[in-house]
Amino acid sequence: MRSEIKEYQAVEEAAMKFVKSVAEGNSKYARELFSDEAVLFGYLDGKLEHGSIEQFYHNVDTVPGGDNFKARVDVLMVEESIAVVRVLEEGWGNRIDFTDVLLMLKMDGEWKCVAKAYNQNSNTIQQ
């Protein structure tokens, strides 16, 4: 059953913690969003990153979003206890564009991200 609009807004608000962390170069807000067991999958400059979400926190804490960083959050689906969010990022670290997919689960009344998969736009890959 499709959720009410207010749930879409709650999911978007939760996902904005991801954006805020990336923009500010501070994993503090993302740590509120992701479950402790969350996983990460994607290729960064052609190298596979996978496993614990800790790698994402490390990336965020070592590379600030940059002056030209922009992001857009699209809540693609909310079905009672599960949601899918797409985050478009431009100019991370003044260089990289990403498309992130966040798999969210409502846990104890709060939206948490349990998995993050991403694509780095091919025109921003450095070998």
Side-chain angles (χ1 to χ4, degrees), residues 32-95:
E32 296 171 7
L33 172 66
F34 287 92
S35 72
D36 293 339
E37 300 85 10
V39 293
L40 164 77
F41 285 90
Y43 289 91
L44 181 59
D45 284 333
K47 295 179 185 159
L48 179 63
E49 288 189 314
H50 61 90
S52 168
I53 199 65
E54 290 294 329
Q55 180 62 49
F56 169 69
Y57 299 152
H58 170 77
N59 292 346
V60 166
D61 289 336
T62 56
V63 180
D67 297 336
N68 297 317
F69 177 77
K70 294 178 188 150
R72 172 189 169 108
V73 172
D74 295 316
V75 178
L76 304 178
M77 180 193 86
V78 180
E79 298 281 339
E80 297 177 347
S81 65
I82 192 169
V84 178
V85 175
R86 177 180 61 193
V87 180
L88 304 177
E89 298 180 63
E90 291 183 357
W92 177 67
N94 292 315
R95 178 174 79 82

Side-chain angles (χ1 to χ4, degrees), residues 4-17:
E4 295 178 9
I5 297 296
K6 68 180 180 179
E7 280 303 314
Y8 281 77
Q9 293 166 332
V11 169
E12 181 180 16
E13 186 177 304
M16 288 306 294
K17 294 177 183 178

Side-chain angles (χ1 to χ4, degrees), residues 92-106:
W92 177 67
N94 292 315
R95 178 174 79 82
I96 299 177
D97 298 343
F98 289 110
T99 300
D100 304 286
V101 176
L102 307 179
L103 179 59
M104 313 267 290
L105 191 66
K106 194 167 190 180

